[in-house]
Amino acid sequence: MSAERVAEVFDPSARTVGSGWFVTPQLVLTVWHAVGGTARDGEPAPGEPPPRRPLSPAALDELARDRARCRVRALADARRGHSFRDAVTVWWRPECDMALLLVTDVHQPASRAGWAPTYWADLTSADPVDVTAVGFPDHDVVSGMRESRQFSGIVHPLSGVRSGQWVITTSALARPTPGSGWAGMSGAALFAGDRLVGIVTADAGGRSGPVAELRAVPAAA
């Protein structure tokens, strides 16, 4: 996990926020419910995601044409004082709450030479697995900006089987709130070691407390 690849996501049209993961310097994996306001009404989901190779300005313009923009920023760029960059939603699957964003702002510092691929893994045994994720809870604001928050937790593979989601137990955020302390964390990449095992989608408890129970879409989905 790296601050270069942890993403902060904001959809101005729907006024929703989320988190994400830079699969490549131009593609961000996040949750559909954080960026659903960027899609055209009634537009069917694309059959295939865009290629992972860098795209030319002309190809970027073609993919981004007539699409509402959302905004993304890497945690490392926020630390350096860089602003958000324009992105558009180019692939989505509402049934599993997943989306891919394509960064279209090529004028911002985006070159990340030598990025390793993101490898994913499934959890095939019933043994609990230690996991970690980094995202941007909406309530955790410092100097007018969402602060990053890393958490560690445990996935229980035999919980949530019928709904097709991983169940993660973790300690709650330090700052109690009237509602969920985890709103805005949706889209955070969930890692077990160096393998992506899921994407955080929801706070199952929906409120602050001594123990939180989060949900994540398995990477295999």
Side-chain angles (χ1 to χ4, degrees), residues 137-140 172-185 202-214:
D138 195 27
H139 88 286
D140 197 355
L173 293 175
R175 227 173 268 152
T177 66
S180 169
W182 296 96
M185 183 67 82
D203 176 0
R207 58 184 176 80
S208 300
V211 176
E213 187 174 281
L214 305 180

Side-chain angles (χ1 to χ4, degrees), residues 45-133:
E48 296 291 338
R52 290 192 302 147
R53 65 179 182 275
L55 298 174
S56 68
L60 286 174
D61 288 343
E62 179 66 25
L63 281 169
R65 185 170 298 148
D66 300 326
R67 290 189 179 277
R69 301 299 198 269
C70 59
R71 307 282 281 159
V72 299
R73 179 169 60 179
L75 174 56
D77 286 339
R79 193 167 55 196
R80 298 177 186 124
H82 297 315
S83 60
F84 279 84
R85 298 156 61 200
D86 285 336
V88 293
T89 308
V90 291
W91 179 88
W92 59 92
R93 284 293 180 272
E95 65 273 16
C96 58
D97 201 12
M98 290 289 99
L100 273 175
L101 310 179
L102 177 71
V103 177
T104 59
D105 186 351
V106 295
H107 303 295
Q108 288 283 352
S111 178
R112 305 280 193 263
W115 270 24
T118 298
Y119 293 101
W120 67 272
D122 201 3
L123 305 181
T124 58
S125 79
D127 297 333
V129 177
D130 293 330
V131 293
T132 187

Side-chain angles (χ1 to χ4, degrees), residues 12 22 33 44 48-49 55 94-95 108 110 114 141 147 161 163 178 190 202 221:
F22 279 91
H33 76 257
E48 296 291 338
L55 298 174
E95 65 273 16
Q108 288 283 352
V141 177
E147 183 55 278
V161 172
S163 64
L190 187 70

